[in-house]
Amino acid sequence: PSKPFGDDADYAWAPDGKRVAVSYLDRIWTIAPDGRQPRALSAADSGSVEREPAWSPDGTRLAYAAHNGDGFDIVVASVKTGGSAVVAAMAGDERWPSWTPDGRLVFAHRPAPPSGRAADASRQWDLFLAWPVSGSDTWQTPVPLTDTADSETFPRVSPDGKRIAFISERDAEDDVDIWWM
């Protein structure tokens, strides 16, 4: 098949299979599966770097990681209007959103980098959960799902919402494994 946006773009299929979301030129786009009908999620270039799109279960919204200069945050936008709301803007980075069937979001977070030249640059990732406030465009404060000394990244919620698969360096000396909870 044709890859109009290249091999290094982040792709996500819509639940109905009729559109694909892709991160291209630092923006989120939706396209038809044949590569036609590209449409930017938002009307204007916001200047942010947008990555890792994830479709909501009903196909009406996209969650993604957006970097506006002070770390990546999780944003949810309407596919129809492009209107968006920030889900998580914690100090540090939030990446790799994944939807639960009931409309909550699981993502990875790491704290802000330490200050000073001698500070340890390694920062550990944990998984968090956020959910929308009923009847509002705002989201509850995210709560941690993991709190370990090891990094957990790339969470993916199972279709039934009962499990989360993720990458972790737990119990590993020099590699990572797939875990689930």
Side-chain angles (χ1 to χ4, degrees), residues 52 54 63-64 74 76 87-88 94-109 126-132 139 142-146 152-158 161 163-166 181:
E52 300 132 14
Y64 56 93
I74 301 296
V76 170
V87 171
E94 293 81 46
R95 304 285 299 263
W96 309 293
S98 182
W99 292 89
T100 65
D102 62 359
R104 296 176 293 164
L105 280 168
V106 176
F107 59 90
H109 163 76
D126 276 306
L127 303 183
F128 279 74
L129 175 70
W131 58 96
W139 288 69
V143 296
L145 294 175
T146 62
E152 287 91 26
T153 57
F154 297 94
R156 291 296 174 258
V157 177
S158 65
R163 296 195 193 298
I164 301 169
F166 58 96
M181 65 176 172

Side-chain angles (χ1 to χ4, degrees), residues 69-160:
D70 60 350
F72 279 94
D73 299 324
I74 301 296
V75 175
V76 170
S78 165
V79 174
K80 186 174 184 178
T81 68
S84 63
V86 176
V87 171
M90 303 155 65
D93 291 308
E94 293 81 46
R95 304 285 299 263
W96 309 293
S98 182
W99 292 89
T100 65
D102 62 359
R104 296 176 293 164
L105 280 168
V106 176
F107 59 90
H109 163 76
R110 70 176 174 185
S115 60
R117 282 189 163 194
D120 180 6
S122 66
R123 294 176 284 150
Q124 172 265 341
W125 294 87
D126 276 306
L127 303 183
F128 279 74
L129 175 70
W131 58 96
V133 173
S134 181
S136 170
D137 287 335
T138 61
W139 288 69
Q140 297 283 351
T141 301
V143 296
L145 294 175
T146 62
D147 186 11
T148 70
D150 301 306
S151 282
E152 287 91 26
T153 57
F154 297 94
R156 291 296 174 258
V157 177
S158 65
D160 64 5

